Amino acid sequence: MQFGHSVSTIALAGSLLLWATPGAAQDVAPDPVTPAQAAATTPAQAKVQADATTATTAVDQDSGANQSIVVTGSRIQRPNSTSAAPITSVTAQDIRAQAAVNVEDVLNRLPQVAPDSQQTYNDSDGRQRIKLRSLGFERTLVLIDGKRLGTQNGQDVGIIPPSLLERVDVLTGGASSVYGSDAVAGVVNFVLKKDFEGLQIDGNYSLYNHNNKDTVTSSLARASGFNSAKGLTNDGGRADITVTAGKKFFDGALRVNGFVNYKHTDEVLLSARSNSGCYLTQTSLNAPLSCGLTPSSSTSGLITPQTGANANAQYVNNPNGTREFVPFGAGAGNASNYFSNYAYQRPSERINAGGFVSLDIAPNAELYASGIWFRDKSYNNYPAIAGGTVNVNCNNPFLSGSQATAICGAAAGTTATAPIDLRYRLGEGNDQPDTYLNTGVRLTGGVRGKVGDAWTYDVGGVYARNHQDYTPSFVNSTNLQNAITVGGTRAAPTCATTTDAACVPFDAFSAGNTNAALIDYLYDQGTSTTTGTLYDVQANVTGDLGKYGITSPFAEQGVAIALGTEYRKDTLKSTADAVYRAGLGGTDSYLKQDVWEANIEVQAPLVEHKSFVDLLQVNGGYRVSKYSSNPSTFNTWKVEGIYAPVSDLTFRASFNKAQRAPTVVEIRQATNVEFARGGSGTFNDFCAPTVTTNANGGVTYGTPIASRDVCRATGLSDALYGSPTLICPGDASTGATGCTVRSGGYTADPETAYTQTYGLIVKPRFVRGLVFSVDRYKIKINDSLGYNDYSYYTDGCLRSNGDAYFCQGIVRNPGTGTLYSSAASNPTTGYIRQGTTNFYQSIARGYDFQAQYTLDLASIGKIDWNFNGSFTTFAGGQDSPLQPKRNCVGYYGNGCGQLIPKWSHGLRATYTTVDRGFSASFNWRYVGSLTNADNSGDEAIGGTDARARTSYYRVAPQSYFDLALNFAIAKQFSLRLIANNLLDKSAPIVPDSYNVALARTNTIPQRYDSLGRSLSIGTTIKF
């Protein structure tokens, strides 16, 4: 029996049918016995294969020449193969029961996966990535049918239609010795349906059916002059349709399949939900919540004089229509909801198409090929804010006398100019889009088969290309200056400094300007393109050495071996058009990396079906890798064991050394040297004296922020401690202030992970149909690769009282001890470091629990229960050998970005009639509590007193319930009705959510069903 993280369940009362959205949609004629079970011939092997935590195995159905079993996590193919590492599988039935439109919808429910939600990020680029154990997508290797999806940097699992999935296997833990670099946190293998004959249409349509009730956000939004949604709403429609066709020719020797998939997602704005009517902030510990009122997005226009008596004063144009300045503050016309048109669900449109072909060219040889093409278009809206530092002519006809005096002082009415900082939102309905167009292709091909009875081979490769066109909207600074310099009269204004006929005079000194022609003139759209390619060629051979008598005298199966070699090439090319470069800068780049690898894997059954040993097996693997970006080779390995004293009980263990080489982007971030002053480099030397400006304009020097011991650790002599010469000056050419920051200049070495899993599988013969397992996992990543800005070093050095690990990032000029240097001189000292490099450790530990049980009700039908739970004990790391370990499990905030609860689970029960004409599935999803790190009481994660926060410091545990009904109306037609978040539970409120979840939704959309109840209808029609 296969285990899926979702579990079908018993039907609810008939009254719930009105809410029901498609249930555990099964195939029109589902096969009650999986291929893995059919292939399991010995009791011990059958037990392990049926186990929920063992790799769900399946016949390699697209191979006419080879009917061996393929287990994710191993290259060895044999009829009774098993996995010593815990693997969770999501079946096609589970996927249909969720009415999933995107693959990320499927995986987000797995406790082993750090949930992502690209559809709810207004800053998303539309690509869906997978992060196992919250260790980052760079450490999760994604496969399609055992071969790489594509490049790590261009990864987009959205190319896979959920309706095309046979299953998804999730192996957590290192697998680099089998699959190569990147498989540090684990492997996700998407197994596609390829052996299809006939014509099939799969369709799903879903929408959100949510009752907006007043929340704490509602009253605050209304008090700030913003609307707050109320009452029942139906929105967020998502359509997904797939047409699949297949045909066999020449008595099945030639098999051809193809598919076309179309997806469309409607936009849902933040303003459409009562919990996101404005962006909630909590300005200090236990302060009341408030709407984030951003003066820069005022539709009345924010003007800040840069010189004169009113320098740095913030003014807005009086919204009552008079041309006078008033101080910025709450109230209609002054404050604006910056995020009013941000998307809660991003609009998108995607087409995926592809095909599979295989041909038996001999009784034991097969040619195969596949191709997937995709096109995805989506966009993010941003406020149309005309902003920047401009010079205003003091005789500008749009200026009233009082306004001119406030800006220009005594020069009011003259031809003199005065600098202002301008931030003017040109109407809340005129937001400008940033557009993402993702296209690409993935091609595979090769030959595979058998040689005699003992050997199989597969020689093939992957070519994958991901291309992204990013087209942002941005203000043309030249046009803004032209438009703000106005001549003529107020009734007949002109652009005073340009003859450009397109120029539109900008009335920035009255409220409510929404001039469409002005917006067209001010805004440019440029395009940058990024193209990533993967060339991957593999040759793999597996052999059953038992055919040559190499078998343990106490075992029935012989030793099995796999040998392989692989060459990969990753490239990333970035370019941009002239408009983009003129407005946003940057340079073109071409990055590449070559990889050569070879590996060996062995499976050795030692004892089978003896007293006290029903199965004893050891596995091993070794891989050597050479990357062109690193002068050294590195190796990875695995050692595994399976021991079943009786058929009811199995112990398993796996030890892995996995390594990950940096991606081409990480290499560039590490090695490319750039210098900055200001911007990210606004830090002033903490060993310099503090400066206080006196009322008469003089300055007083005070004690430095850092202690003398900390400053010694940065290489500063005691004689210079507190010297005014350490104060970082401004940059006259750019106006930037602060010390110099150097980005890059590091060597990015491979990181090394040591992973361990220990498992117990129980299948008691006295409880027929029950399988239970528990697995302990421990992952430690040494020399962890990551990006940190300069504050990582400065704050770490200061906080740790001089830990050399952090203080080494502060590189002083010899003699003077200063931290400022001219960027043009390419200095080797006098800066603070930042960039991508190797750090100390990342750590993940916990337990996985899985179970399944089938209750046979004879003539009534059957009930299947499936359970998948995860108890996380550690999620974090250690910055240096001298620092305490930072455990973020169960916490959020203060850099704890994993958002991992201690406990989460899914429990699904499914009732199916004997004739399988009807099934009803009920699912319970549970997410444990999350607490603000302030309340941890642990200084290592930024906690102070465990009672530090008394409001909005904790998110209580959340439970969601799903119902799915499936009707097999005829052999060729099934209908699904599904309701996810059946009770329409609202998401918990989390202030400052962007700092927590990179979302402006006032919640954590990755973790919680933030848009409400989802109703779906789906169908499968076969011809």
Side-chain angles (χ1 to χ4, degrees):
M1 197 129 201
Q2 297 184 5
F3 175 82
H5 103 283
S6 353
V7 183
S8 306
T9 78
I10 196 165
L12 286 184
S15 60
L16 296 180
L17 181 59
L18 294 176
W19 287 349
T21 84
Q26 301 184 16
D27 291 331
V28 171
D31 186 352
V33 180
T34 67
Q37 291 170 306
T41 57
T42 69
Q45 300 291 355
K47 168 187 64 61
V48 178
Q49 286 177 323
D51 168 38
T53 61
T54 301
T56 302
T57 58
V59 176
D60 191 3
Q61 293 176 329
D62 63 332
S63 171
N66 178 15
Q67 292 296 322
S68 294
I69 299 300
V70 180
V71 177
T72 297
S74 174
R75 296 286 187 189
I76 293 176
Q77 303 177 15
R78 60 195 309 178
N80 295 315
S81 188
T82 63
S83 173
I87 300 177
T88 299
S89 286
V90 186
T91 67
Q93 288 87 348
D94 299 324
I95 294 167
R96 290 187 175 183
Q98 299 170 29
V101 174
N102 299 306
V103 168
E104 70 179 8
D105 296 341
V106 176
L107 296 176
N108 278 354
R109 294 188 175 192
L110 288 173
Q112 294 80 8
V113 174
D116 204 1
S117 187
Q118 294 298 318
Q119 281 297 109
T120 57
Y121 292 153
N122 196 78
D123 300 326
S124 169
D125 67 357
R127 292 186 286 197
Q128 301 170 30
R129 298 180 174 94
I130 303 172
K131 295 174 283 189
L132 288 174
R133 303 294 187 200
S134 292
L135 291 172
F137 73 88
E138 300 93 344
R139 298 186 178 105
T140 299
L141 182 60
V142 179
L143 310 174
I144 297 180
D145 294 324
K147 291 184 172 63
R148 288 176 176 252
L149 168 69
T151 67
Q152 288 295 96
N153 295 117
Q155 181 186 117
D156 183 7
V157 297
I159 74 172
I160 306 169
S163 58
L164 206 67
L165 287 171
E166 181 69 37
R167 71 181 195 275
V168 184
D169 291 342
V170 180
L171 181 152
T172 54
S176 294
S177 64
V178 177
Y179 295 112
S181 186
D182 314 325
V184 170
V187 173
V188 178
N189 185 21
F190 294 94
V191 181
L192 304 185
K193 300 175 183 177
K194 300 174 291 297
D195 191 23
F196 180 81
E197 190 167 17
L199 177 66
Q200 179 172 304
I201 300 174
D202 291 280
N204 290 292
Y205 178 78
S206 65
L207 57 81
Y208 292 102
N209 171 246
H210 178 63
N211 187 18
N212 280 298
K213 300 176 181 178
D214 275 359
T215 66
V216 65
T217 312
S218 303
S219 58
L220 294 172
R222 292 176 187 133
S224 299
F226 310 145
N227 292 326
S228 179
K230 195 168 185 178
L232 188 65
T233 183
N234 295 296
D235 57 14
R238 300 195 299 171
D240 173 36
I241 186 169
T242 304
V243 178
T244 308
K247 182 68 175 176
K248 295 181 180 179
F249 303 93
F250 309 116
D251 295 324
L254 174 63
R255 299 165 293 280
V256 180
N257 296 270
F259 73 92
V260 176
N261 170 247
Y262 172 78
K263 302 175 186 177
H264 177 85
T265 302
D266 291 339
E267 184 176 39
V268 178
L269 298 179
L270 291 180
S271 55
R273 292 296 181 269
S274 59
N275 64 356
S276 54
C278 68
Y279 181 60
L280 294 180
T281 64
Q282 194 171 26
T283 55
S284 62
L285 208 65
N286 298 319
L289 300 186
S290 60
C291 284
L293 303 180
T294 52
S296 63
S297 69
S298 174
T299 54
S300 296
L302 177 72
I303 291 95
T304 306
Q306 300 295 287
T307 58
N310 297 314
N312 300 317
Q314 290 187 326
Y315 299 121
V316 294
N317 298 303
N318 197 323
N320 66 9
T322 61
R323 291 182 182 271
E324 59 181 355
F325 288 148
V326 295
F328 169 77
N334 286 359
S336 172
N337 185 355
Y338 185 94
F339 309 107
S340 58
N341 291 318
Y342 266 42
Y344 215 138
Q345 176 173 277
R346 301 172 70 248
S348 65
E349 189 170 54
R350 177 184 281 268
I351 299 176
N352 299 315
F356 312 92
V357 60
S358 61
L359 173 65
D360 296 338
I361 56 177
N364 290 307
E366 173 200 11
L367 287 174
Y368 65 91
S370 69
I372 299 177
W373 170 89
F374 69 93
R375 182 184 188 274
D376 174 66
K377 187 174 185 179
S378 62
Y379 63 88
N380 304 316
N381 274 328
Y382 294 100
I385 298 175
T389 299
V390 293
N391 293 309
V392 177
N393 53 308
C394 296
N395 62 349
N396 189 308
F398 289 132
L399 284 170
S400 67
S402 63
Q403 289 174 320
T405 300
I407 294 174
C408 300
T414 71
T415 59
T417 62
I420 63 170
D421 183 79
L422 176 66
R423 309 287 162 175
Y424 199 117
R425 185 170 186 178
L426 297 162
E428 289 195 21
N430 293 321
D431 286 9
Q432 298 295 294
D434 281 8
T435 304
Y436 292 90
L437 179 62
N438 293 302
T439 59
V441 65
R442 179 184 184 272
L443 305 174
T444 69
V447 59
R448 60 192 168 199
K450 299 181 71 172
V451 178
D453 294 333
W455 296 93
T456 67
Y457 64 90
D458 187 340
V459 180
V462 177
Y463 168 77
R465 179 180 182 271
N466 293 77
H467 180 90
Q468 182 180 91
D469 290 327
Y470 167 51
T471 307
S473 301
F474 52 89
V475 172
N476 183 311
S477 58
T478 300
N479 289 1
L480 177 61
Q481 182 61 67
N482 289 341
I484 205 71
T485 309
V486 182
T489 65
R490 191 175 298 173
T494 61
C495 293
T497 57
T498 181
T499 58
D500 185 357
C503 182
V504 178
F506 186 3
D507 181 3
F509 306 106
S510 65
N513 190 335
T514 59
N515 189 333
L518 174 65
I519 296 173
D520 288 342
Y521 176 67
L522 292 180
Y523 272 87
D524 279 345
Q525 285 191 331
T527 299
S528 72
T529 63
T530 304
T531 304
T533 59
L534 169 69
Y535 304 86
D536 186 8
V537 180
Q538 301 179 17
N540 295 289
V541 177
T542 66
D544 183 355
L545 302 185
K547 302 295 184 181
Y548 303 99
I550 305 178
T551 304
S552 165
F554 307 106
E556 298 173 0
Q557 296 186 103
V559 174
I561 189 171
L563 302 169
T565 183
E566 184 173 359
Y567 167 76
R568 295 194 305 275
K569 181 179 182 129
D570 282 299
T571 70
L572 187 69
K573 182 179 181 181
S574 298
T575 61
D577 60 25
V579 176
Y580 185 98
R581 287 285 182 248
L584 300 177
T587 58
D588 293 352
S589 65
Y590 178 73
L591 314 174
K592 65 177 181 178
Q593 183 169 234
D594 298 273
V595 190
W596 298 265
E597 296 184 308
N599 70 289
I600 182 173
E601 186 181 358
V602 177
Q603 288 183 2
L606 302 179
V607 182
E608 291 181 288
H609 312 312
K610 305 298 181 182
S611 298
F612 306 109
V613 184
D614 191 58
L615 173 66
L616 178 62
Q617 178 175 305
V618 294
N619 306 328
Y622 181 84
R623 175 178 290 253
V624 61
S625 304
K626 176 67 176 71
Y627 281 73
S628 61
S629 59
N630 194 289
S632 302
T633 61
F634 63 84
N635 59 76
T636 57
W637 50 260
K638 72 171 182 177
V639 178
E640 301 174 331
I642 300 173
Y643 170 53
V646 292
S647 61
D648 307 57
L649 192 66
T650 300
F651 298 92
R652 61 182 172 194
S654 177
F655 304 88
N656 284 266
K657 176 194 174 186
Q659 285 193 285
R660 182 180 76 88
T663 68
V664 290
V665 170
E666 288 173 318
I667 293 170
R668 178 176 173 81
Q669 289 173 338
T671 58
N672 190 50
V673 176
E674 296 178 346
F675 292 90
R677 297 283 296 282
S680 64
T682 56
F683 171 80
N684 280 300
D685 194 340
F686 51 40
C687 297
T690 55
V691 179
T692 303
T693 303
N694 304 324
N696 60 5
V699 296
T700 300
Y701 296 123
T703 304
I705 296 172
S707 69
R708 195 179 295 270
D709 288 341
V710 168
C711 294
R712 281 196 201 107
T714 68
L716 186 71
S717 68
D718 286 353
L720 290 172
Y721 178 72
S723 171
T725 60
L726 298 177
I727 299 173
C728 293
D731 187 328
S733 63
T734 65
T737 60
C739 302
T740 303
V741 173
R742 189 190 82 174
S743 297
Y746 294 96
T747 298
D749 292 318
E751 62 185 18
T752 303
Y754 293 94
T755 69
Q756 306 171 38
T757 61
Y758 311 91
L760 170 65
I761 307 164
V762 180
K763 186 184 179 185
R765 68 190 72 185
F766 53 85
V767 185
R768 184 176 177 83
L770 173 64
V771 179
F772 170 79
S773 69
V774 57
D775 287 276
R776 167 69 162 163
Y777 67 87
K778 299 172 70 175
I779 302 173
K780 182 178 72 172
I781 304 174
N782 295 330
D783 299 320
S784 181
L785 279 165
Y787 178 90
N788 284 302
D789 67 12
Y790 72 93
S791 64
Y792 174 81
Y793 293 102
T794 57
D795 293 353
C797 181
L798 188 63
R799 186 177 62 247
S800 65
N801 293 318
D803 185 343
Y805 186 85
F806 296 105
C807 297
Q808 66 175 335
I810 300 171
V811 184
R812 297 187 178 277
N813 283 316
T816 63
T818 56
L819 289 175
Y820 49 90
S821 299
S822 170
S825 67
N826 194 27
T828 58
T829 58
Y831 54 75
I832 310 164
R833 302 179 75 172
Q834 71 178 14
T836 293
T837 187
N838 297 94
F839 299 95
Y840 192 53
Q841 285 185 350
S842 296
I843 302 170
R845 299 176 190 152
Y847 297 85
D848 287 336
F849 301 85
Q850 299 186 43
Q852 65 180 27
Y853 176 62
T854 298
L855 177 62
D856 190 347
L857 301 176
S859 61
I860 300 176
K862 66 173 182 175
I863 300 176
D864 294 304
W865 282 276
N866 278 345
F867 175 81
N868 184 12
S870 185
F871 180 71
T872 305
T873 59
F874 199 104
Q878 191 174 6
D879 285 335
S880 85
L882 300 180
Q883 296 304 302
K885 292 180 180 178
R886 180 179 171 88
N887 186 2
C888 284
V889 63
Y891 294 108
Y892 70 89
N894 286 333
C896 286
Q898 295 95 342
L899 308 174
I900 300 176
K902 289 184 179 180
W903 174 259
S904 60
H905 74 245
L907 172 62
R908 183 180 288 276
T910 302
Y911 166 74
T912 307
T913 60
V914 174
D915 63 0
R916 287 183 238 154
F918 170 75
S919 67
S921 175
F922 186 71
N923 187 42
W924 172 28
R925 294 177 281 132
Y926 178 87
V927 182
S929 64
L930 290 171
T931 302
N932 192 294
D934 289 338
N935 284 67
S936 67
D938 185 350
E939 293 184 3
I941 60 171
T944 51
D945 183 358
R947 299 178 298 273
R949 287 181 182 264
T950 59
S951 64
Y952 298 99
Y953 70 93
R954 181 176 182 269
V955 178
Q958 305 288 311
S959 288
Y960 296 99
F961 302 98
D962 310 319
L963 176 65
L965 306 178
N966 182 66
F967 304 88
I969 297 174
K971 185 176 181 181
Q972 292 79 24
F973 175 66
S974 66
L975 178 68
R976 302 178 295 275
L977 302 173
I978 302 171
N980 292 316
N981 188 8
L982 182 66
L983 303 180
D984 191 26
K985 187 168 187 175
S986 296
I989 297 292
V990 178
D992 300 298
S993 60
Y994 189 82
N995 298 334
V996 175
L998 297 178
R1000 308 285 183 178
T1001 54
N1002 300 326
T1003 190
I1004 304 173
Q1006 307 98 310
R1007 279 288 174 197
Y1008 307 112
D1009 288 19
S1010 54
L1011 285 167
R1013 180 192 300 119
S1014 172
L1015 301 176
S1016 305
I1017 183 169
T1019 185
T1020 296
I1021 305 173
K1022 290 185 177 181
F1023 299 93

